[in-house]
Amino acid sequence: MARIAVVGSGPSGVYTAQALLDRHPGTELRVDVLDRLPCPYGLVRYGVAPDHQKIKSLQATLRRVLEDPRVRFLGNVSVGAGGVRADRLRALYRAVVYCVGAARDRRLGVPGEELAGSWSATDFVSWYSGHPDAPRLELPRRARAAVVVGAGNVALDVARMLARTAAELRSTDVPPPVLSTLADSAVRSVHLVGRRGPSQARFTTKELRELGTLAEAEVVVEGAELAADPDAAGPAALGPNARRNLAALGAWADAPPCGRPRRIACRFFLRPVELLDDGAGAVRAVRFERTVGTGGGRVRGTGEQVEIEAQLVLRSVGYQGVAPDGLPFDPERGVVPHSAGRVLRGGNVAPGEYVAGWIKRGPTGVIGSNRPCAKETAASVLADLPALPAAPAADPLPALRAAGVDPVEWPGWLGIEAAEAALGRSLSRGSVKIADWPGLLRAAGRAEGRA
């Protein structure tokens, strides 16, 4: 029997496990899916916005894979520094596939980025998603306006969550402290700002149009910024998503106010150059340089400066891979060097080590992009399997415990699910996330919680 470890239980990890089983039917293959958290599903649980329940329903697909009798979920298992070393893991399994994503956000690299009220969208998303490692954020009480720097779906999520009403958020699984904080927020104006033009925005049109469905928010678009986009003049040369985005933005351009108490302003051709201090170490505004499109998605600065008042600034300008402990890493690309998913050490294939997902290809694509990526890596694993050194026949679980980890298996996760459903019932809501390590581990049946 061949035992394979998949590190990471998000879409790329679960799709890899599924592809391995689909291409190797029968009972001669076992896959352990390891995760640092006691909960599966990765960014589907902790990255998809709480108000996007249809996308979150993907958990049902991932669940079917993790409930396959040939698959074993082992949560609460850290791999690398402070956990099971990569070389030890490799000795326990015939092959190891790392599907660990891209955990760090990109910075703006401008003065004032460290001021109070300046956050990464990554931290904000983790906070409202109930991630147990998320910082315990508090919106500045004086914050009336927010700037979200970025033109992708995460930026849309952040803007939308800031503009939702308490009634809208109660139907989601956000933890009670998050719901209370957002309900008490004084933010009524959200500026969604991109440095390039609207035809280069990475929004998916469905998510963009969703801004127009919020209960108490109106969407504002400056027609002059749409008209300034040289690439929008020839829409036939654009992809279908860009054309649909332009149509959606055009429907909001220069529309008269509709009297709703909140507003989301979609702005373009503005490049952040400085976050301005209010004199007490907090953000009071963002200074931008106006840019101009030169065609082909390129822009240049004009020297003209624009200030937008904001007491809260969230940067959403992409993610970066973090070097997995014990693996080679390309810091420029933020990925592990590989050939068709096979890890390369010094340019040579490292037998039995593989990657899939963002740590393989970089933080690109949507959730579905992980399927072909996982299939390619799985094909490499199975092609190599006959020549790989045999791992010990014994079950790796006792050796993992001997290494100091206390895995949460599938019944433990079901305990967390049950506890979150009970928490929701106690609050007259649907299932509500437990957002701290001790609470998660107690729900999973552990006597001692991790601080």
Side-chain angles (χ1 to χ4, degrees):
M1 179 185 297
R3 296 182 183 274
I4 297 174
V6 172
V7 181
S9 68
S12 64
V14 178
Y15 289 156
T16 297
Q18 182 178 33
L20 288 167
L21 297 175
D22 287 349
R23 290 168 178 260
H24 195 288
T27 60
E28 295 306 309
L29 190 68
R30 291 289 187 274
V31 180
D32 283 352
V33 178
L34 283 57
D35 203 291
R36 187 179 65 83
L37 297 171
C39 310
Y41 311 136
L43 282 178
V44 177
R45 177 174 166 89
Y46 289 119
V48 173
D51 60 344
H52 275 181
Q53 289 303 309
K54 186 172 182 180
I55 301 176
K56 280 185 171 293
S57 67
L58 175 62
Q59 291 183 9
T61 301
L62 304 181
R63 184 188 198 100
R64 285 193 290 272
V65 179
L66 293 173
E67 289 184 332
D68 188 296
R70 296 167 293 172
V71 175
R72 179 169 57 181
F73 173 69
L74 298 176
N76 195 38
V77 177
S78 293
V79 175
V84 184
R85 299 192 318 272
D87 58 346
R88 179 59 178 149
L89 198 63
R90 177 68 189 88
L92 294 174
Y93 291 90
R94 191 79 167 271
V96 181
V97 187
Y98 292 87
C99 308
V100 293
R104 185 172 59 202
D105 64 284
R106 294 184 182 275
R107 299 183 65 80
L108 298 176
V110 302
E113 199 166 1
E114 302 302 329
L115 291 171
S118 169
W119 300 344
S120 75
T122 305
D123 284 346
F124 191 60
V125 169
S126 293
W127 170 71
Y128 68 57
S129 296
H131 195 294
D133 291 335
R136 298 300 181 247
L137 301 177
E138 290 292 338
L139 295 180
R141 292 189 177 278
R142 63 190 184 87
R144 303 173 303 280
V147 163
V148 181
V149 181
N153 281 349
V154 174
L156 284 178
D157 288 346
V158 167
R160 198 178 61 252
M161 289 294 290
L162 284 170
R164 287 280 191 199
T165 64
E168 289 174 300
L169 292 171
R170 277 189 60 82
S171 64
T172 74
D173 62 2
V174 298
V178 174
L179 178 60
S180 176
T181 298
L182 291 174
D184 292 343
S185 166
V187 173
R188 293 297 180 267
S189 181
V190 181
H191 302 267
L192 191 60
V193 185
R195 67 180 179 85
R196 297 192 293 171
S199 60
Q200 281 76 50
R202 295 180 178 272
F203 312 134
T204 51
T205 308
K206 180 180 178 182
E207 279 69 24
L208 177 61
R209 288 175 176 159
E210 189 179 1
L211 294 183
T213 69
L214 304 186
E216 293 187 3
E218 61 185 13
V219 183
V220 178
V221 176
E222 294 193 10
E225 291 180 349
L226 296 187
D229 188 345
D231 296 309
L238 298 174
N241 190 75
R243 291 198 298 271
R244 291 191 295 266
N245 282 348
L246 287 170
L249 292 164
W252 292 319
D254 298 330
C258 60
R260 293 181 179 179
R262 306 170 191 235
R263 66 195 295 269
I264 299 175
C266 297
R267 303 294 307 275
F268 300 97
F269 295 115
L270 293 172
R271 177 164 55 206
V273 295
E274 186 178 4
L275 275 60
L276 303 178
D277 195 328
D278 68 351
V283 176
R284 69 169 178 82
V286 183
R287 178 176 294 145
F288 294 89
E289 179 187 22
R290 190 175 295 282
T291 62
V292 61
T294 59
R298 295 179 295 275
V299 296
R300 61 173 175 80
T302 64
E304 178 187 353
Q305 296 198 334
V306 176
E307 286 188 15
I308 297 178
E309 176 196 348
Q311 298 79 35
L312 175 64
V313 178
L314 294 150
R315 62 179 182 274
S316 179
V317 291
Y319 296 90
Q320 293 177 310
V322 177
D325 191 63
L327 291 182
F329 190 68
D330 179 347
E332 290 188 6
R333 297 181 57 222
V335 298
V336 170
H338 71 94
S339 174
R342 297 176 176 93
V343 171
L344 299 177
R345 291 183 180 271
N348 298 314
V349 171
E353 293 182 317
Y354 303 85
V355 285
W358 279 2
I359 202 63
K360 170 187 173 184
R361 69 180 191 274
T364 61
V366 294
I367 290 175
S369 306
N370 290 295
R371 278 194 182 275
C373 175
K375 288 179 178 179
E376 179 189 56
T377 295
S380 295
V381 173
L382 295 178
D384 298 347
L385 206 56
L388 293 176
D395 185 345
L397 192 52
L400 290 173
R401 289 194 172 111
V405 298
D406 184 16
V408 169
E409 298 185 59
W410 194 251
W413 159 240
L414 296 181
I416 293 172
E417 277 193 321
E420 292 184 338
L423 175 60
R425 287 193 298 273
S426 73
L427 299 169
S428 300
R429 296 170 58 190
S431 182
V432 171
K433 285 214 186 92
I434 297 170
D436 63 284
W437 275 99
L440 288 170
L441 293 177
R442 282 194 299 271
R446 298 297 182 273
E448 294 295 329
R450 164 179 158 179

